[in-house]
Amino acid sequence: MQTYFNIRYEFDKELVGTRIAQQVTKKEADYICVADGVILNVANRNSNYLKIVNGGMFSICDSSYVPLYIRWIYGKRYEQYCGSQIFMDIIRSKKYRMIFMGTSQATLKGLQNNLLKENIDVKSMTFLELPYRTVEDFDYAGIAKEIEADNADIIWIALGAPKQEIFMSLLKPHLKRGVMIAVGAVFKFYSGTDTKRAPQWMIKWHLEFAHRIFKEPKKQIKRCSMILLTLPKLFMKEMICKHRKERYVE
């Protein structure tokens, strides 16, 4: 793991898979954050949320820009590992029993139908709609009982950031085992009934944010503007951090 911009990232995709497999065999519960620009922004504005993001196993880098920033500052090359990728990698691996939690029943139904094309075992897995309420008001003990009864290894959660990360941190003490992974809009992307992910050419050229703004202008313009306001200060802090590390090595 490496810490950049105050987030504990794991960039090694093979190691991500190994750590998940190891955690599933333990009689303990934990979670993984899928850190995009929104999480990076909110975590560096809210120390309590930063503790939650760094309180799990690690975060994977959902932002295509963070690897660019790291390359500019440190000269190191890392790759993005977005929520859509880890989601489909685990689905296609056919290694785990999973439960899918969040969004609407229509989205969950469309998601299940599409995932059956990738993994027939999904047919017997649970797709659970979560009620719309504040993150503090969920019945975490009750939700944990449903997960335990299902015997799920992987618990996919789609509530949107920062709500889903707080949800995982509050659910964790009630669970005996399993790995929770919060994947935001991924359920919508693969449901075939809602927002689709940007085309590959836009993803390649780091323009996925433009696609999201076009699809959800009111929501995404606000998010992007907050990220832009935070970024210069965050960038400068990381530059200072780099120089301190270099001096320490000397």
Side-chain angles (χ1 to χ4, degrees):
M1 278 182 294
Q2 298 288 335
T3 299
Y4 294 106
F5 305 104
N6 297 316
I7 304 291
R8 291 171 54 248
Y9 290 109
E10 181 53 73
F11 289 97
D12 188 323
K13 296 180 183 180
E14 185 176 341
L15 189 54
V16 168
T18 300
R19 290 283 306 279
I20 289 173
Q22 291 172 343
Q23 185 64 37
V24 165
T25 63
K26 295 180 180 179
K27 293 184 178 180
E28 300 173 7
D30 215 329
Y31 60 88
I32 295 170
C33 294
V34 178
D36 61 1
V38 174
I39 289 178
L40 181 65
N41 171 57
V42 178
N44 280 282
R45 287 173 175 268
N46 185 319
S47 59
N48 290 329
Y49 182 63
L50 179 61
K51 289 178 182 177
I52 289 171
V53 172
N54 285 335
M57 295 167 61
F58 49 79
S59 292
I60 64 168
C61 184
D62 189 62
S63 169
S64 65
Y65 283 94
V66 167
L68 288 178
Y69 302 153
I70 294 172
R71 190 185 310 172
W72 294 339
I73 296 172
Y74 294 95
K76 297 180 180 180
R77 291 182 176 270
Y78 294 110
E79 292 183 3
Q80 175 190 23
Y81 193 17
C82 67
S84 297
Q85 290 175 308
I86 190 172
F87 181 74
M88 198 52 70
D89 285 348
I90 291 177
I91 296 293
R92 288 170 176 160
S93 74
K94 302 180 182 180
K95 293 180 179 179
Y96 306 110
R97 178 163 182 81
M98 296 168 278
I99 186 168
F100 304 80
M101 306 172 63
T103 68
S104 67
Q105 197 60 53
T107 298
L108 290 171
K109 185 63 178 176
L111 177 67
Q112 183 179 35
N113 289 338
N114 282 334
L115 293 183
L116 284 170
K117 302 170 187 176
E118 306 291 341
N119 182 348
I120 192 64
D121 295 335
V122 168
K123 186 175 182 179
S124 64
M125 296 180 192
T126 301
F127 289 73
L128 180 65
E129 181 180 8
L130 293 174
Y132 182 77
R133 57 186 54 171
T134 62
V135 72
E136 296 83 7
D137 291 334
F138 283 102
D139 177 12
Y140 289 101
I143 293 171
K145 285 182 180 179
E146 291 193 60
I147 294 171
E148 298 295 344
D150 188 86
N151 201 32
D153 301 309
I154 306 293
I155 303 108
W156 296 108
I157 297 166
L159 291 173
K163 186 176 183 178
Q164 60 194 10
E165 289 74 36
I166 301 171
F167 178 94
M168 291 192 297
S169 72
L170 294 174
L171 181 58
K172 178 180 173 178
H174 298 277
L175 290 175
K176 295 179 181 178
R177 58 178 295 274
V179 177
M180 295 176 279
I181 309 176
V183 287
V186 168
F187 285 13
K188 294 180 179 181
F189 292 158
Y190 288 116
S191 70
T193 62
D194 213 312
T195 305
K196 293 183 179 180
R197 198 180 177 201
Q200 283 300 315
W201 70 267
M202 294 188 80
I203 295 171
K204 179 180 178 181
W205 291 101
H206 309 283
L207 292 172
E208 189 167 10
F209 74 94
H211 176 81
R212 298 291 296 275
I213 289 174
F214 179 76
K215 292 294 184 180
E216 301 175 294
K218 187 175 180 180
K219 177 181 178 181
Q220 297 301 331
I221 287 175
K222 182 179 179 181
R223 285 185 165 187
C224 289
S225 63
M226 292 302 292
I227 292 170
L228 289 174
L229 287 172
T230 303
L231 187 58
K233 185 176 180 180
L234 197 59
F235 207 92
M236 286 301 298
K237 283 185 175 180
E238 196 67 22
M239 289 290 291
I240 292 169
C241 182
K242 176 196 174 185
H243 291 307
R244 284 177 179 171
K245 288 178 181 177
E246 288 175 346
R247 286 179 182 176
Y248 180 79
V249 172
E250 291 174 359

